[in-house]
Amino acid sequence: MAEHVFDLVVLGGGSGGYSAAIRASELGAKVAIVERDKLGGTCLHRGCIPTKALLHAAEVADAVRSASEIGVDATLTGIDANGLRTYREKIVAKKFAGLKGLISARGITVVDGEGFLQTDRGVRVGADVYRGKNVLVATGSYSKMIPGLEAGGRILTSEHALELPEIPRRVVILGGGVIGVEFASLWRSFGVDVTIVEALPRLVPQEDEAMSKGLERAFRKRGIGMHLGSRFASATQTDEAVVVQLEDGTQLDADYLLVAIGRGPSTAGLGLEEAGVALDGGFVVVNDDLQTSVPGVWAAGDIVRGLQLAHRSFAQGIFVAERMAGLPAVAVPERQVPRITYSDPEVASVGSTLAEAVADLGSEKVTSFDYNLAGNARSEIIGTGGLVRVVRAVDGPVIGVHLIGARVGELIAEAQLLVGWEAHPEDIAPYLHAHPTQSEALGEAFLALAGRPLHAL
């Protein structure tokens, strides 16, 4: 057995792991990443990037369908499943090559293999041990499955759905959260008959209720079926189809069932508990500095309870690296982490929903303004409806921004800055939003809350 010594050993090369490795190396640390699959993890290879590539292809398909409405003579003759795969894989391969080059340029050692946490801040890979002054566990998450239901054949997780060699005719999606909604959107754009089953009363239930209702209206207009407040009972499959039964007796027939009920922390079988790391429901228990119950062992990303988002993992990885170096790093509060659902229309948000703000402060201390994208020229040009909702404390700062509409995810960075810096609408009102842009919709909401509306009543 050989032992290798580093300043930092990272177990997991996904978003949280590689961001910590890069930042630690910038701060002068000698770093190793142990990764059993590929650098970049789920986000790059089986999640964020490939699904957004398909969603872009879906947007193009819809644009071709409606081209005649703007005077462009174009016809959509079909969707090429092989062509989609080639396009998606090309995007992923290019980003993967770039990441590998970045890691190499930083002088970070990459160890290929299954890692197991040992005592005394070691990670065993085969017969070798990689020991660090610090160890970061950042092993990500996996697609959860309904108990008693097994993925395979015509029952899919999101990873399986990405690898389908065909465009199905009919799909049932179990789960109306971000993953389910995004697949529903892209498949519908490809001409698939889609039905969503969600146990809670509304889609994307973590979002402001106005955004959920707006998404439901848009999906109904697109012909996406929904069974909201409906619970799954069972699924049976044959070589040709799958039959889904709901508890209310409804039967749904489809080519495939996509199970999109969330993701669980990938912490089993890594030796964490044996090494003394405390877990709670599979998630690693950490303090405010993301340190585990074992000195010198830290955790970041999807294995830490909270929002399972790649950019949260990036931020946590950077935070951990800086705290290890003794820098006065500040963690981003959960409510200041921006969220985007990349469906058509998109939903983007940061901060408190209106309901959360009222619950926290009381209804008399909260006010909000809704600006309809129908009043925004750029939104009219690109053919989207939607809504901007800004929530503020009375005579106080902006505490939440919520948007629905095509491409509104590109606006959420400004919103995060305003919420994070506790800006008042009166502070923002003097600043310009270029015309014509969708960002003007945010500007109009801020003007209205500052008592000086321009294109709003």
Side-chain angles (χ1 to χ4, degrees), residues 143-175:
S143 292
K144 293 168 70 175
M145 183 57 61
I146 292 284
L149 199 63
E150 291 187 8
R154 296 188 174 274
I155 299 175
L156 313 173
T157 66
S158 59
E159 290 90 342
H160 300 127
L162 282 172
E163 298 299 326
L164 276 182
E166 60 179 303
I167 305 297
R169 294 178 302 112
R170 303 168 300 167
V171 174
V172 172
I173 298 176
L174 183 57

Side-chain angles (χ1 to χ4, degrees), residues 313-335:
S313 298
F314 289 145
Q316 288 190 342
I318 293 168
F319 171 80
V320 165
E322 294 183 348
R323 292 299 292 136
M324 289 176 184
L327 298 180
V330 178
V332 177
E334 285 286 298
R335 280 198 181 174

Side-chain angles (χ1 to χ4, degrees), residues 114-370:
E114 191 93 22
F116 301 89
L117 186 65
Q118 309 290 289
T119 57
D120 298 327
R121 299 183 299 278
V123 175
R124 177 173 58 80
V125 183
D128 291 350
V129 172
Y130 297 82
R131 199 171 303 282
K133 295 177 183 177
N134 291 286
V135 171
L136 171 65
V137 184
T139 45
S141 59
Y142 64 91
S143 292
K144 293 168 70 175
M145 183 57 61
I146 292 284
L149 199 63
E150 291 187 8
R154 296 188 174 274
I155 299 175
L156 313 173
T157 66
S158 59
E159 290 90 342
H160 300 127
L162 282 172
E163 298 299 326
L164 276 182
E166 60 179 303
I167 305 297
R169 294 178 302 112
R170 303 168 300 167
V171 174
V172 172
I173 298 176
L174 183 57
V178 173
I179 296 173
V181 159
E182 290 183 355
F183 271 95
S185 184
L186 70 88
W187 268 328
R188 186 59 188 150
S189 296
F190 295 156
V192 180
D193 182 359
V194 179
T195 302
I196 300 173
V197 176
E198 170 55 53
L200 294 176
R202 54 191 178 96
L203 295 181
V204 287
Q206 77 279 12
E207 299 295 344
D208 189 280
E209 187 171 1
M211 306 302 116
S212 293
K213 297 304 180 185
L215 185 62
E216 290 164 19
R217 286 193 295 272
F219 271 20
R220 289 190 182 98
K221 187 175 181 180
R222 294 184 60 193
I224 296 173
M226 285 169 278
H227 291 268
L228 304 179
S230 299
R231 298 187 66 84
F232 168 85
S234 65
T236 56
Q237 62 174 312
T238 65
D239 290 342
E240 292 79 28
V242 61
V243 177
V244 178
Q245 295 282 350
L246 306 185
E247 286 187 354
D248 64 7
T250 300
Q251 177 177 304
L252 303 171
D253 301 321
D255 297 337
Y256 293 97
L257 168 64
L258 170 61
V259 180
I261 59 171
R263 298 184 65 83
S266 294
T267 54
L270 300 175
L272 300 185
E273 290 181 293
E274 293 83 348
V277 174
L279 302 180
D280 177 19
F283 291 94
V284 178
V285 177
V286 295
N287 64 14
D288 290 343
D289 280 344
L290 298 178
Q291 295 185 61
T292 73
S293 54
V294 176
V297 178
W298 312 61
D302 287 1
I303 62 172
V304 175
R305 195 179 294 277
L307 295 169
Q308 293 178 313
L309 299 169
H311 46 281
R312 173 184 180 256
S313 298
F314 289 145
Q316 288 190 342
I318 293 168
F319 171 80
V320 165
E322 294 183 348
R323 292 299 292 136
M324 289 176 184
L327 298 180
V330 178
V332 177
E334 285 286 298
R335 280 198 181 174
Q336 291 179 20
V337 175
R339 306 185 299 269
I340 305 174
T341 302
Y342 294 85
S343 53
D344 180 20
E346 289 183 353
V347 177
S349 62
V350 66
S352 300
T353 66
L354 181 55
E356 289 170 342
V358 168
D360 290 344
L361 303 176
S363 59
E364 73 284 355
K365 294 185 178 180
V366 174
T367 187
S368 66
F369 184 80
D370 292 354

